[in-house]
Every structure is written in structure tokens, then in C-alpha cells.
Amino acid sequence: MNHVLAFDFDGVLSDSLLEAYLITWRISGRFDPTLTLPAATLPSLAAIHAFREQHQEHWRAFNKLVPLGNRAEDYLVIHSAVARSLRLKTQSEFNEFKAGMERSRLEEFHEEFYRERYSLAGQDHERWLALNEPYPGAREAVRALAARFKLAVATSKDARTVRELLDNWGLSGLFLPEAVLDKTAGESKRAHLAALKKIFACDFSRITFIDDKVSHLLDCLDLGVRLYLAGWGYNGETEWELARRHAIPVLTLEKLSLLSPDNK
């Protein structure tokens, strides 16, 4: 019977947070006037690294909240919280703050986020690709794991971008097209894993799932899927300790390629 290895994408295979940071700064002022920057100072693909250096305190605060987000609209939530100097420490605090924001505005931000992504990718494709690099060693690990697993992606990132990046990294042939699941397959990773169960005609016990968001893994605890927290992703000691309390191993990037269907 097939054994499936499903990867979340951002924070597991791709270190793409700086691209999300760029997009968030560029479009947030359209939805919240308090987040508006003068057009001349908006970061660009060419200038985002220098912009980050000039906004180190904001970048660090932004990073701290990323583990609590999920979909693209959550970058507006994060940006708004940082601008207000809010210290949201738990998922419930984050969710409560998000619930106070207008739902239609968040949905519009979500759509604009992807329009801006595609626009940037079209303007300077090489620089855009460079903001979506695989983690060091991840590409080689995926090739090794393809010999032992059927591979899949379960992500809130859009499949169009995921497929383009996998192709650019020389990995697209290792993933069945129907096994690259994005936000259209459902908002939760439970929905993605249920879809993979059908695609590969296997039990949940034959699926291994790696995510960098501990909240996603906790939501899947009762499925019987083998779960791992990607310790190299957008998380830290707080999330590592929470994962361990629920018997979810914290995986290192160095040990990624060693996973096998026989791991317990």
C-alpha cells in the first residue's frame, strides 16, 4: 500500500517569508490607511533586502506573529497588530484580534495579495524566484524521499505558484499534479489530508505530514496521521515545546531526508 509524505510548502520547503513581507507592505495601505507608505518609499523586488534592514524592529515583530497565521489575509492581521504594538502570544489572542477586523476587507486583501504576487513575478521573474528559494538541502531531501514515499503538497499557498517553484527547482516530476493541494482543496489541513487519503486510496495511518505551524498539526492529531513539526520553519521554542507536549516530534532539516515509512 502507498505511504504518502505530504509537505506544507512555505516554511517547510520554501523560505518565502520575505516575499510575503514585500507584498504585505506594498498593498496594506489600500485596506488600512494607517499602514500607508508614500509610493516612493514602497519596497520593490530589487530593494526589499535593504528595506528589511531599515525596518529590523518591525521585521522581528512580524516574524514573531507569523506562526499564528494561516492564509494570505493573515498577513494584514499581522501587519495591523505590529503597527498597533500588540503582543499577541496565543492562537486565541490572534483569532480574537482577527475577528474584530472586517471580513470583507480581509477577503479583498487575500485576492489582492495574489494579484500583486503574479504582477511582481511578471515584472522581474528572476528576482521573484530568488525570494522563493528552497531551504538549504530541502531539494536534495525531497529527491531522496521520493524513493520511499508518494509525495504531496498540502498548503494554503496557491497551486499555480507552488507548481512553478517545484518546476524551477527540478522537482515537479516527483509530485502528481493532483497531489499538489492548495487553498481550493479546503482551508484546513484536515481537509487536505482527507483529500490525499482519497487520492492515494490509503488509510490516514499511511500518511506522514510535515508542517511548520503547530496549530495545523494539533488540528490533525486525532486523524492517525504521522505528524512532524518542521523546526527550521516559521516557529520557535514556544511552538517546539507545544508540539512536544502533544508527542509531535520536532524535525530538523538535517534529518528530513532520513524519514522512511518505517519511522515510528
Side-chain angles (χ1 to χ4, degrees):
M1 184 183 292
N2 292 327
H3 199 115
V4 179
L5 175 57
F7 301 94
D8 180 38
F9 198 76
D10 294 326
V12 175
L13 295 180
S14 177
D15 186 6
S16 58
L17 186 55
L18 190 56
E19 186 232 15
Y21 190 65
L22 166 64
I23 295 172
T24 300
W25 269 110
R26 288 182 62 83
I27 70 172
S28 290
R30 306 172 198 174
F31 302 90
D32 183 344
T34 68
L35 302 176
T36 301
L37 281 178
T41 63
L42 281 174
S44 64
L45 280 167
I48 185 57
H49 291 89
F51 182 90
R52 177 178 59 181
E53 290 304 311
Q54 295 162 6
H55 298 80
Q56 276 294 306
E57 185 176 350
H58 184 281
W59 170 250
R60 287 192 293 269
F62 192 91
N63 268 266
K64 286 183 179 179
L65 292 181
V66 167
L68 302 177
N70 182 18
R71 286 160 48 93
E73 65 266 26
D74 290 333
Y75 288 119
L76 179 60
V77 180
I78 292 167
H79 197 21
S80 298
V82 172
R84 291 160 177 75
S85 299
L86 299 181
R87 297 189 176 185
L88 308 177
K89 295 182 178 180
T90 67
Q91 193 68 55
S92 60
E93 288 175 349
F94 182 89
N95 293 346
E96 183 178 356
F97 177 65
K98 179 178 178 179
M101 300 178 70
E102 186 179 344
R103 182 63 196 170
S104 61
R105 183 156 53 101
L106 292 173
E107 291 173 352
E108 289 169 5
F109 180 92
H110 181 100
E111 296 303 319
E112 186 63 20
F113 187 94
Y114 288 103
R115 280 193 290 269
E116 186 70 12
R117 167 174 285 162
Y118 301 146
S119 175
L120 289 172
Q123 290 171 27
D124 192 334
H125 201 60
E126 291 305 312
R127 277 201 171 102
W128 176 77
L129 285 172
L131 287 184
N132 290 274
E133 284 291 306
Y135 282 97
R139 191 164 19 196
E140 295 76 12
V142 169
R143 291 193 180 105
L145 291 163
R148 303 192 289 274
F149 295 92
K150 299 293 185 180
L151 301 183
V153 171
T155 180
S156 59
K157 197 181 192 79
D158 58 304
R160 168 179 163 178
T161 299
V162 171
R163 291 192 180 102
E164 180 171 3
L165 292 172
L166 289 174
D167 186 59
N168 183 64
W169 302 343
L171 300 177
S172 58
L174 302 180
F175 294 81
L176 292 175
E178 62 268 28
V180 176
L181 304 183
D182 68 358
K183 55 185 180 173
T184 62
E187 292 194 11
S188 74
K189 296 305 174 69
R190 289 180 68 93
H192 289 164
L193 294 173
L196 291 175
K197 180 176 181 287
K198 292 181 179 179
I199 290 169
F200 289 101
C202 66
D203 298 329
F204 280 128
S205 62
R206 305 289 293 183
I207 300 176
T208 295
F209 177 46
I210 307 172
D211 202 314
D212 68 310
K213 300 287 180 69
V214 69
S215 60
H216 295 169
L217 298 173
L218 294 178
D219 189 44
C220 300
L221 269 177
D222 63 337
L223 295 179
V225 171
R226 187 181 301 163
L227 303 171
Y228 289 93
L229 179 66
W232 60 90
Y234 309 137
N235 53 55
E237 292 184 3
T238 299
E239 290 77 29
W240 301 345
E241 178 56 31
L242 181 57
R244 291 180 181 122
R245 287 208 305 268
H246 291 274
I248 298 172
V250 179
L251 189 64
T252 65
L253 190 53
E254 293 74 19
K255 293 186 177 180
L256 174 60
S257 65
L258 302 180
L259 288 179
S260 81
D262 298 323
N263 289 137
K264 301 297 182 183

